[in-house]
Amino acid sequence: MIKVAIVEDNEIINHSLKTLINNTEEFSCVGNYSNCEDMLEVIEEIMPHIMLMDIKLPGMNGIEGVKQVKVKLPSISILMLTVHEENDLIFDALCAGACGYLVKKTHPEKILEAIEEAYEGGAPMSSHIARKVTTFFQMDKKLSPDKTLLTPREHEILSELIKGKTYYAIAMTLNISPDTVRFHIKKIYKKLHVHSQAEAVAEAIKKGII
Amino acid sequence: MIKVAIVEDNEIINHSLKTLINNTEEFSCVGNYSNCEDMLEVIEEIMPHIMLMDIKLPGMNGIEGVKQVKVKLPSISILMLTVHEENDLIFDALCAGACGYLVKKTHPEKILEAIEEAYEGGAPMSSHIARKVTTFFQMDKKLSPDKTLLTPREHEILSELIKGKTYYAIAMTLNISPDTVRFHIKKIYKKLHVHSQAEAVAEAIKKGII
DNA sequence: AAAACAACTACACAATAGGGTAGTTTTATA
DNA sequence: TATAAAACTACCCTATTGTGTAGTTGTTTT
């Protein structure tokens, strides 16, 4: 039996979701809460598989609620409940750890389908939200890492430096003279506007060069 | 008129997609290619809005193809063509810059819907793939930065080190002795199992301590 | 009250790094 | 075939770092 918990301050919606869920053979509603605070107190004992969480709640909002639930129960699947497809809030919820969402006016069968989907490891969401997510994490993968800044050799040497090697050790690895290593590192420092290994590594990682 | 390009080595599929697209009023097929190499040579002149790209291609594969197309035309929407929902390949394609995918055996109307969806800024994908994406980028947000590893003072000193300061400069900033700075850094190195500033910074950033 | 930890200071010493200058040799590109 | 860029070597010199050892002081936990 798949255990579902509900956090929703509108009593009518809360109750009808509970009824919907308990009328199935597959799911069972194991907790109804009208706010995050009450839910967080007992959630570790209830251990639901799925949580339906309203985004807008009195007191702690749903986004913050997701974060805190995820700390206590990292493997729970949380679906956000929203009135409209308010893009930004949903996006924030996904960042916080939600796996998808349900528009409240969705037909009951579709709601159960989405819960099922979430339980099976899916992420029910519209194509538009999905695009926001993919775009966002493609951005993450470094926007214009400026591969042209450092030459291949400089890049190579920087990579060795990050491993904690000394100039001499790098020289041995690359079969060049330690003076050459020193020379390249000097140029790297100039290009990155830094003056030490620590700063160079920090800058390189920040710029996504590594 | 929305311009669509196709990269697909199976001639039958390639041709039927072209026919499908050209039989609509909304879309027009402006290019058919059986491999990435041919497509990349002319893509900047064609400038399609949407590209349908097979994942498995002779020569350069679709994933690499996506990367290169995105360099030339950053705003193009690319849908991957796949036989099955081969999770990992699709995921790699999304990382590379694709916005969604089409399973080849999908009904023609659904294919056109997906193209439409992509053009309107959506990301057509199954709920399972969507979950992989959201999970992945939640992971990115640092899992358990282990704030307990370094003491507050050690953390502070590491932060100064990243700015490129010398032991002496850090000592002045924190109003402590340079020997104390040296002492703290020794302990940081032991905790992170490193032996240089460069390695410490790299490790700290990797672990999300910074 | 003892133990554990954080923060601090101190001294010594060899190894390493950072910066300057000056040049050669490939390799790619106009 | 110039010319530029990358890659390389070398030497000098001082500042800084990495490591060890040895201790004090104050706070928190048991």
Side-chain angles (χ1 to χ4, degrees):
Chain A
M1 189 71 104
I2 301 167
K3 295 191 285 180
V4 182
I6 301 168
V7 186
E8 164 65 64
D9 62 319
N10 180 313
E11 280 188 29
I12 295 166
I13 295 175
N14 192 319
H15 185 263
S16 62
L17 282 171
K18 178 180 175 181
T19 306
L20 173 67
I21 288 165
N22 280 335
N23 274 340
T24 65
E25 294 196 344
E26 199 182 357
F27 306 117
S28 163
C29 178
V30 293
N32 285 74
Y33 313 92
S34 60
N35 60 70
C36 287
E37 289 80 356
D38 290 352
M39 173 274 291
L40 285 166
E41 271 184 21
V42 296
I43 198 65
E44 281 164 303
E45 288 143 47
I46 307 286
M47 289 205 293
H49 301 98
I50 306 286
M51 178 174 288
L52 308 182
M53 166 105 76
D54 195 4
I55 286 196
K56 288 178 187 166
L57 285 166
M60 185 188 303
N61 69 43
I63 314 265
E64 185 57 34
V66 167
K67 288 184 198 163
Q68 303 210 13
V69 170
K70 275 285 180 173
V71 172
K72 293 175 190 285
L73 300 174
S75 64
I76 194 173
S77 291
I78 304 175
L79 289 176
M80 303 313 288
L81 297 170
T82 76
V83 178
H84 308 294
E85 274 201 2
E86 305 119 308
N87 283 7
D88 284 339
L89 284 180
I90 292 170
F91 186 67
D92 289 347
L94 291 174
C95 292
C99 81
Y101 64 91
L102 279 171
V103 176
K104 289 184 187 179
K105 66 171 187 288
T106 308
H107 280 295
E109 322 88 76
K110 293 279 181 187
I111 291 180
L112 293 175
E113 269 175 38
I115 297 175
E116 171 91 43
E117 216 168 272
Y119 180 72
E120 286 171 356
M125 67 178 77
S126 76
S127 157
H128 269 89
I129 297 289
R131 172 81 144 222
K132 283 199 96 171
V133 175
T134 56
T135 305
F136 188 82
F137 101 122
Q138 283 158 14
M139 281 188 349
D140 239 35
K141 304 267 155 236
K142 278 100 209 178
L143 7 80
S144 71
D146 208 358
K147 295 279 185 190
T148 56
L149 184 60
L150 298 188
T151 68
R153 197 52 153 182
E154 287 163 358
H155 193 278
E156 203 174 3
I157 286 176
L158 188 53
S159 302
E160 296 296 322
L161 205 57
I162 286 180
K163 294 180 194 160
K165 293 191 180 178
T166 65
Y167 292 4
Y168 181 79
I170 295 171
M172 292 306 102
T173 305
L174 302 183
N175 282 313
I176 55 180
S177 137
D179 281 314
T180 306
V181 174
R182 184 198 314 284
F183 169 82
H184 283 300
I185 288 179
K186 267 181 280 194
K187 300 195 81 176
I188 293 171
Y189 285 4
K190 278 198 178 168
K191 287 183 180 177
L192 298 182
H193 308 291
V194 299
H195 307 278
S196 77
Q197 297 190 0
E199 209 183 352
V201 170
E203 190 64 20
I205 293 176
K206 204 176 83 186
K207 287 218 173 107
I209 295 172
I210 299 300
Chain B
M1 190 72 105
I2 301 167
K3 294 191 285 181
V4 182
I6 299 170
V7 186
E8 163 68 62
D9 62 320
N10 180 313
E11 281 188 27
I12 296 167
I13 294 177
N14 191 319
H15 185 262
S16 61
L17 282 170
K18 179 182 175 181
T19 306
L20 174 67
I21 287 166
N22 280 333
N23 275 338
T24 65
E25 297 196 343
E26 200 183 357
F27 306 116
S28 163
C29 180
V30 293
N32 286 74
Y33 312 94
S34 61
N35 60 70
C36 287
E37 289 81 357
D38 290 351
M39 176 273 291
L40 284 167
E41 271 183 22
V42 296
I43 198 66
E44 281 163 302
E45 287 143 46
I46 308 286
M47 289 206 290
H49 301 99
I50 306 286
M51 179 175 286
L52 308 183
M53 166 106 76
D54 195 6
I55 286 196
K56 287 178 186 165
L57 286 166
M60 186 189 304
N61 68 42
I63 314 267
E64 187 57 33
V66 167
K67 287 182 198 164
Q68 303 210 14
V69 170
K70 275 285 180 174
V71 172
K72 292 174 189 286
L73 301 174
S75 63
I76 194 174
S77 291
I78 304 175
L79 289 177
M80 304 312 288
L81 297 170
T82 75
V83 179
H84 308 293
E85 276 201 1
E86 305 119 305
N87 282 8
D88 284 339
L89 284 180
I90 292 170
F91 186 67
D92 288 348
L94 291 173
C95 292
C99 82
Y101 64 92
L102 280 171
V103 175
K104 291 184 188 180
K105 66 171 187 286
T106 307
H107 280 295
E109 322 90 75
K110 293 279 180 187
I111 290 180
L112 293 175
E113 269 175 38
I115 296 175
E116 170 90 43
E117 216 168 272
Y119 180 72
E120 286 172 354
M125 68 178 76
S126 75
S127 155
H128 269 89
I129 298 288
R131 172 80 146 226
K132 281 198 100 172
V133 175
T134 56
T135 305
F136 187 82
F137 101 122
Q138 283 156 16
M139 278 187 352
D140 240 33
K141 306 264 160 240
K142 269 113 207 166
L143 9 77
S144 71
D146 208 358
K147 296 279 186 191
T148 55
L149 184 59
L150 299 188
T151 67
R153 196 53 152 181
E154 285 162 0
H155 193 277
E156 202 174 3
I157 286 175
L158 188 53
S159 302
E160 296 296 323
L161 204 57
I162 287 179
K163 294 179 195 162
K165 293 192 180 177
T166 65
Y167 292 3
Y168 182 78
I170 296 171
M172 292 305 103
T173 306
L174 303 182
N175 282 313
I176 55 180
S177 139
D179 281 315
T180 306
V181 174
R182 184 196 313 283
F183 169 82
H184 283 299
I185 289 179
K186 266 182 281 194
K187 300 195 79 175
I188 293 171
Y189 284 4
K190 279 199 179 166
K191 287 184 181 177
L192 297 182
H193 308 292
V194 299
H195 306 279
S196 78
Q197 297 188 2
E199 208 182 352
V201 170
E203 189 66 20
I205 292 175
K206 204 176 84 187
K207 288 218 170 110
I209 294 173
I210 298 301

